[in-house]
Amino acid sequence: MDDDGRYRDGRSDFVRGAKDIAKVAKKQVGKKVGRGADKLADEYTKRSYKRFEEEDDDDDYAGAPGNDGGYYRNDSRANDDEGHSDSTEGHDEDDEIYEGEYQGIPRADSGKADGGGVTAQAQQFRDLSAYEGERRKDQEELAQQYETILQECGHGKFQWTLYFVLGLALMADGVEIFVVGFVLPSAEKDMCLSEPNKGMLGLIVYLGMMVGAFVWGGLADRIGRRQTLLISLSINSVFAFFSSFVQGYVSFLFCRLASGVGIGGSIPIVFSYYSEFLAQEKRGEHLSWLCMFWMIGGIYASAMAWAIIPHYGWSFQMGSAYQFHSWRVFVLVCAFPSVAAISALTTMPESPRFYLENGKHDEAWMILKQVHDTNMRAKGYPERVFSVTTIKTVKQMEDLVELGDGAAWHEKWRIKLTTLFHQVWGNFQAVFSPQYRRTTYMMMAVWFSMSFSYYGLTVWFPDMIKYLQKQEYSSRTRVFVKEKVQHVTFNFTLENQVHRQGEYFNDKFMNLRMRSMVFEDSLFEECYFEDITSSNTFFKNCTFIATLFYNTDLFKYRLVNSRLINSTFLHNKEGCLLSDVSDDNNAYMVYFVSFLGTLAVLPGNIVSALLMDKIGRLRMLAGSSVISCISCFFLSFGNSESAMIALLCLFGGISIASWNALDVLTVELYPSDKRTTAFGFLNALCKLAAVLGISIFTSFVGITKAVPILFASGALAAGSFLALKLPETRGQVLQ
C-alpha cells in the first residue's frame, strides 16, 4: 500500500474511534454525557488530523518510514519534541492518542482491543455507569455487617454518654423556639417595636432554622456529623451571645436570624448521628428517649424567663444610648445549652458509619473498638476482645481535580468549595431519584401537614389565651359620667376606666401610672400632670386650659381631637410609645402556660419510647395523628382561660408521639450517605410549614375558631392517611 493510502486509513481509524466514544457514552450513561462525548470526539478528530499532518511534515524531512514499519517508531518521530502533546507524554509508544487524559479523566488499565485509546475512553463511561451499582452493593453488605458489629459492641456507657451530649444540642433547639416569644413584651419597650416588627421577629427564627436545616443537613453527609454539628452550634452560640448586647432592632433581628441558621442543623444531625451508634432492637426506643431533651429545653427556657425577666433590677445602662435590661440576661442564659453541647461534643468521636461510607476503614475500626471496650469495661467484662478485623467500606469515586503545589491558596479553596457544593447538590438531587422519589414525596406531605397543624395551634393557643384575658379585662372596665373633681391630687394608679364629660379644676396628677384609661369630652383647667407613665391611654375630644405637662409620656398623639389653650409640655419622657403593655401578672401567666404546655409532652414521650419498637413506627405515627385530629374538635369548648390551657396540654401530650415516630422513620428510610441531607430538607420544609401555619392561624384569633379547627384537623387527618402508605422500618437494619 502506498503512503497516501496508509495515511488515509490512519485518519479513518482515528475518526471512527472518536465517534465510537460518543455512541458508547450515549448508550451507557445517557444523553447529557453523550453530548459531552460528542465534543470530545470533535476534539479527538482535530487532534488526529493535526498529528497526521505533523507526520507528513516529518516525513518530508526524514524520508520513508523506518524498517520497523511503524509510523510512530521512525527516527524523526522519536526525536521531534514538538510532535508530542503534554497529555500523551510518557505513554507507551504503541498506544494511540489518549484523549481522556487530556480531559482530566483517569486512564483505565483495561485492554486495548479495537484501539487502545478508544477502549480506554469507553471503559471510563462504563465505569461511571457501573459505579452506583457497585456502591449500592457495597452499602447493602456494609449495612448487614455494621449491624452485626453493633450487636457485638452492645449498648451501654458509650451510648448513654453520647445520649446526654447530643441531648444538650437538642435542648438548645428547644430553647431557641421559645426565646423570642418570651422577650417580646420586654424588648418592644427598648426597641420601640411596632406590630409588624414584632411579627417579623417572631417568624425570623423559623426562617433561619429552615435555611440552617437544609445547609447543615447537606454538609453533614459530606464532611461528617460531628464536625458539622460543632460548626452549626458555634454559629448559634456566637450570634445568641451578640443578640443579648446589640441595641437596634435590625441588628437584633439579624443576630436572631443567624442564631436560627446555626441551630437549624441540630435536629437532622443529632438524630442521624445517634442512630448510627444504635443496634436495630434499641434504635426506636432510644431515639424517642432523645426527644425528651427538646421538652427539657422548653422547660429550661420557661423557668429562666420566669426567674429572670420580671426582675428589672438585673439591669444597667450607660447613658441613654446603651441599656442592658433583665430580658437581655435571659437571652444570654439561653445560650448556655449550646455552649455546653459544644464543649461536650469535642470529647466524642465521629460516626464510624460516616467513615465507612467514605472509605476510611481504619478510623471507623478504631471508633467501633472504642465503643466496644467502653461498654465492656462498664459491664465488668474488660477481658473481652473486639473480634472484628476487617469492615466493608463503600467504593469511592476518584477525585479528578488535582492542583499542583504552585496553585494559589484562594484558588485551592475555590475549587474545594465548588466541588463540595456540587457534591451536596448532587446528594440532594439523589433524594428525588427514582429509587427514593415516592418515599420523599410522601414524607414531604406528612412533615408539612404535621408541622402546619402543630406549630399553628401551639402559637394560636397562647394568642387565644391573651385574647380571652383581654376580653375578661374589658368586662371589668369602670365608667364614670359627668363627674366634677376640684383640688384633688391623684398619686395612685389609674387603670381600666372610662371618664365621659368630666370636669377637672386645679387637680394634680403626680407620680402615677395610667393603664387603659380613656377620657372623652372632658375639661381640664389649671391642672398639673407630673411624672406620668401611661399605656393604652387616650384623651378624646378633650379641652386643656392653662395646664402643665412635666416629665410625662402624654405626647400629643394621645390627645385625639383635643384642644390645648395656654398649655405647656416640659421635659417629655424619652422612650417608646406603646399602645399596650402587659403587666407582670400577664408575663408570669405566659411563662406558666408555656411551662405547662411543654411539661405536658412528658407522658407522650414516655409512651412513645416504650411502644415504638413494639407496635412500629407507622402505627405510632398514624394513631397519634388520628387522636390529635379528634382532640382538635374539643377546641370549640375552649371558652375560658383554664379550658384553653387544658386543651393545649392535651394536644401537646398526644401529638408528641407522632413527632417521635416521624423522626425515627425519617432516619431509617434513607441510606447513610443521604440521611442528613434528606432529614435536613424535610426539617426545612417543616419550618416553612410552621411559618405558614402560624401566620394563618393567628390571623383568626378573636374572629372564629372554626377555621383553625378545620385546618388543623384536616391536615392531621391527611398526614395520618399518608403515613400508612409509607414502608415500615421496624426490625430493619440501618441502610
Side-chain angles (χ1 to χ4, degrees), residues 486-554:
Q486 297 179 355
H487 310 292
V488 175
T489 298
F490 297 88
N491 56 2
F492 48 86
T493 298
L494 297 176
E495 182 177 0
N496 199 20
Q497 299 176 7
V498 176
H499 296 262
R500 295 193 179 103
Q501 301 175 2
E503 294 181 7
Y504 305 89
F505 179 76
N506 198 22
D507 295 321
K508 295 181 179 180
F509 299 82
M510 303 176 64
N511 303 316
L512 60 85
R513 178 180 180 184
M514 292 183 175
R515 183 174 186 268
S516 299
M517 293 291 297
V518 178
F519 295 88
E520 297 178 351
D521 304 311
S522 299
L523 173 64
F524 296 85
E525 186 174 357
E526 297 183 11
C527 292
Y528 180 68
F529 292 81
E530 180 182 357
D531 195 17
I532 306 298
T533 301
S534 63
S535 64
N536 200 30
T537 296
F538 298 94
F539 297 84
K540 300 178 180 179
N541 301 315
C542 295
T543 302
F544 297 87
I545 302 174
T547 298
L548 176 64
F549 297 85
Y550 182 83
N551 191 30
T552 72
D553 63 359
L554 298 177

Side-chain angles (χ1 to χ4, degrees), residues 301-332:
S302 302
M304 291 299 102
W306 199 341
I308 295 173
I309 294 179
H311 293 274
Y312 301 109
W314 295 15
S315 62
F316 66 89
Q317 67 181 63
M318 293 181 289
S320 59
Y322 189 86
Q323 299 176 345
F324 193 89
H325 292 152
S326 57
W327 68 268
R328 296 182 181 275
V329 178
F330 166 72
V331 173
L332 193 61

Side-chain angles (χ1 to χ4, degrees), residues 643-678:
M644 292 302 296
I645 294 175
L647 290 171
L648 169 63
C649 295
L650 175 65
F651 179 78
I654 295 172
S655 61
I656 192 63
S658 58
W659 279 112
N660 293 354
L662 190 58
D663 290 333
V664 175
L665 194 63
T666 305
V667 164
E668 296 176 336
L669 279 176
Y670 292 94
S672 297
D673 62 332
K674 301 175 181 65
R675 182 169 297 121
T676 57
T677 299

Side-chain angles (χ1 to χ4, degrees), residues 17-30:
K19 295 301 182 183
D20 286 343
I21 295 172
K23 293 179 182 178
V24 172
K26 290 179 180 178
K27 182 178 180 181
Q28 295 291 332
V29 292

Side-chain angles (χ1 to χ4, degrees), residues 693-717:
I694 292 170
S695 303
I696 294 173
F697 280 51
T698 53
S699 64
F700 291 98
V701 172
I703 300 176
T704 179
K705 295 180 184 176
V707 175
I709 291 173
L710 290 175
F711 278 175
S713 57
L716 289 169

Side-chain angles (χ1 to χ4, degrees), residues 676-693:
T676 57
T677 299
F679 207 139
F681 166 68
L682 293 172
N683 199 252
L685 183 68
C686 162
K687 297 304 185 289
L688 176 62
V691 171
L692 294 176

Side-chain angles (χ1 to χ4, degrees), residues 292 295-296 298-299 454 592-607 645-657:
M292 296 276 286
M295 175 199 72
I296 295 173
I299 293 174
Y454 177 81
F592 181 67
V593 169
S594 299
F595 177 83
L596 286 180
T598 308
L599 187 62
V601 307
L602 178 61
N605 265 321
I606 296 174
V607 171
I645 294 175
L647 290 171
L648 169 63
C649 295
L650 175 65
F651 179 78
I654 295 172
S655 61
I656 192 63

Side-chain angles (χ1 to χ4, degrees), residues 179 182-184 186-193 240-249 251-253 255-256 304-305 308-312 314-317 321-336:
V179 170
F182 287 159
V183 304
L184 266 181
S186 301
E188 65 174 327
K189 303 176 187 178
D190 290 355
M191 300 183 183
C192 304
L193 300 182
F241 176 81
F242 285 154
S243 67
S244 67
F245 293 96
V246 296
Q247 296 293 301
Y249 167 73
S251 55
F252 184 76
L253 187 73
C255 286
R256 295 319 303 182
M304 291 299 102
I308 295 173
I309 294 179
H311 293 274
Y312 301 109
W314 295 15
S315 62
F316 66 89
Q317 67 181 63
Y322 189 86
Q323 299 176 345
F324 193 89
H325 292 152
S326 57
W327 68 268
R328 296 182 181 275
V329 178
F330 166 72
V331 173
L332 193 61
V333 169
C334 285
F336 288 172

